[in-house]
Amino acid sequence: MRTSLRVGAVALAAALALTTAACSSSGSGGDSSGPVKLTYWAWAPNMDKVAAIWNKSHPDIQITVNKQDGGDAAVTKLLTAIKAGSGAPDIMQAEYQKIPTLVSADALVDLKDQGAGDLKKEFTDGTWNAVTLGGDSVYAVPQDSGPMMFYYRKDIFDQYGLSAPKTWDEYAQDARTIHQADPTKFLGTFSSGDPGWFAGLSQQAGASWWGIDGKAWSVDIDSAATKKVADFWGGLVHEGVIDNNPMYTPAWNTALNDGTQVGWVSSVWGPGVLEGNAADTKGKWAAAPLPNWDASKPSNGNWGGSSTAVTAQSKHPKQAMEFITWLNTDPEAVKALAQVANIYPADVNSSAALSTPPAFFADQADFWSIAAQSSKDVSSFTYGPNVNVAYSAYTDAFAKAAESKDPAQFDAALNTMQSTTKNDLVKSGFTVK
């Protein structure tokens, strides 16, 4: 049975002491006369090349990057090592939504005792909340973020005399205008296959699906904020002015290429997807901030992003903290994250590393300034220890709702997510309000 989340530094320190006394970290060896050797599990591309920059100037602390298959696979592998008592790396790239799961399994070190709290000023409040769970402990350092953005076919918008929508009401009207002018075209699609997308949109609306008070969790997926998002998209699907099929399918790729998918509600990493799936449309797209519910009070959500954490099996948390501080805040490292690893750094001072727009948006000089503002507008959002359950419930329930095109089924799907997620926490032994 899972234990409740430990939020106190003393409890985590005790767990660390017991673990390190009983087992050793893979690759964290090195004797008293040699360098400290640390292993780093990461799936972002070219992280070995980024670590090589550190290794060259820090002979006393050497980093070995072990490339992982992906976020979920790496988390499963880490949890297996934690349960076994050995085999974990020193350092772990962890998606924000996975941090509560790892903390509840006593898999991460509380970095507050290593001075991580001093780094808060380097990141937005929303990103910092993701690694602290809204408390005083610091379970990771933000590495990259995924502020949501809106991409649209500027040539088609110009054809119909439209400009990028600033509000969701404008988005809905643009969707109607485009589909009425050409019934084969849609401004977007409701994707039941992408729970992270829906979570980001709910975050923008002011939702936070989980909360924690001491050791007690709460679940608020069916809040008024999330219901507003579900009702909005359910209404557009019901009208038939947007598509109702998931993203990342052959049909969706074709729609991006042939102009029947006129827009994409996505994230800062969207240009890479567009370049890979719709290369022939280069020069026809433009990027804009995500439409807002209230243009006078801009807010945003994240779709994607990850952090760097120190695992409970590391014998060298101090040295690991030195590296991850450099990795995520040093100007040279941040530049490498952006230009070598091709991720959007979470550091608020990363603009100097992002002077050239993505190749797919080469003509849009303000791309990174839009991204920077979008990142600053991200609202706080707390994930829980059973994100996988909530996300699975989303894909099942909203797939049926999207297929039915019945707005009432969108509300029902939200209720299913709420009850499934809350019941799972109780069943798993967590204290639930």
Side-chain angles (χ1 to χ4, degrees), residues 204-295:
Q204 184 204 34
S208 184
W209 287 357
W210 289 267
I212 184 160
D213 182 6
K215 293 183 178 181
W217 284 97
S218 58
V219 182
D220 197 22
I221 294 175
D222 61 350
S223 66
T226 307
K227 187 177 185 302
K228 177 167 64 175
V229 176
D231 288 347
F232 175 80
W233 291 96
L236 292 181
V237 169
H238 178 69
E239 285 185 54
V241 296
I242 65 164
D243 199 3
N244 64 329
N245 292 305
M247 305 169 194
Y248 299 104
T249 64
W252 183 73
N253 292 339
T254 298
L256 290 177
N257 275 287
D258 64 18
T260 55
Q261 193 73 209
V262 177
W264 184 24
V265 173
S266 182
S267 182
V268 67
W269 40 258
V273 176
L274 291 172
E275 185 172 22
N277 294 346
D280 291 343
T281 63
K282 181 180 179 180
K284 298 180 179 180
W285 292 80
L290 196 69
N292 264 271
W293 294 102
D294 182 348

Side-chain angles (χ1 to χ4, degrees), residues 166-188:
K166 292 182 172 58
T167 66
W168 287 114
D169 284 342
E170 292 178 5
Y171 177 95
Q173 188 53 53
D174 289 348
R176 297 182 186 108
T177 298
I178 291 168
H179 190 65
Q180 288 167 5
D182 183 346
T184 69
K185 286 182 169 54
F186 297 99
L187 182 54

Side-chain angles (χ1 to χ4, degrees), residues 307-328:
S307 64
T308 321
V310 179
T311 79
Q313 287 183 14
S314 176
K315 291 183 176 181
H316 304 286
K318 180 179 182 295
Q319 290 86 348
M321 182 62 195
E322 289 182 38
F323 170 69
I324 66 176
T325 298
W326 171 86
L327 178 66
N328 298 304

Side-chain angles (χ1 to χ4, degrees), residues 50 53 326-343 345 347 349-355:
V50 178
I53 300 172
W326 171 86
L327 178 66
N328 298 304
T329 63
D330 182 88
E332 183 180 20
V334 170
K335 182 178 180 180
L337 287 177
Q339 299 182 3
V340 178
N342 294 313
I343 59 178
D347 190 313
N349 301 306
S350 63
S351 58
L354 299 163
S355 56

Side-chain angles (χ1 to χ4, degrees), residues 7 99 125 127-140 212:
V7 296
I99 291 176
D125 290 342
T127 306
W128 191 249
N129 181 83
V131 298
T132 61
L133 308 186
D136 294 329
S137 294
V138 183
Y139 300 111
I212 184 160

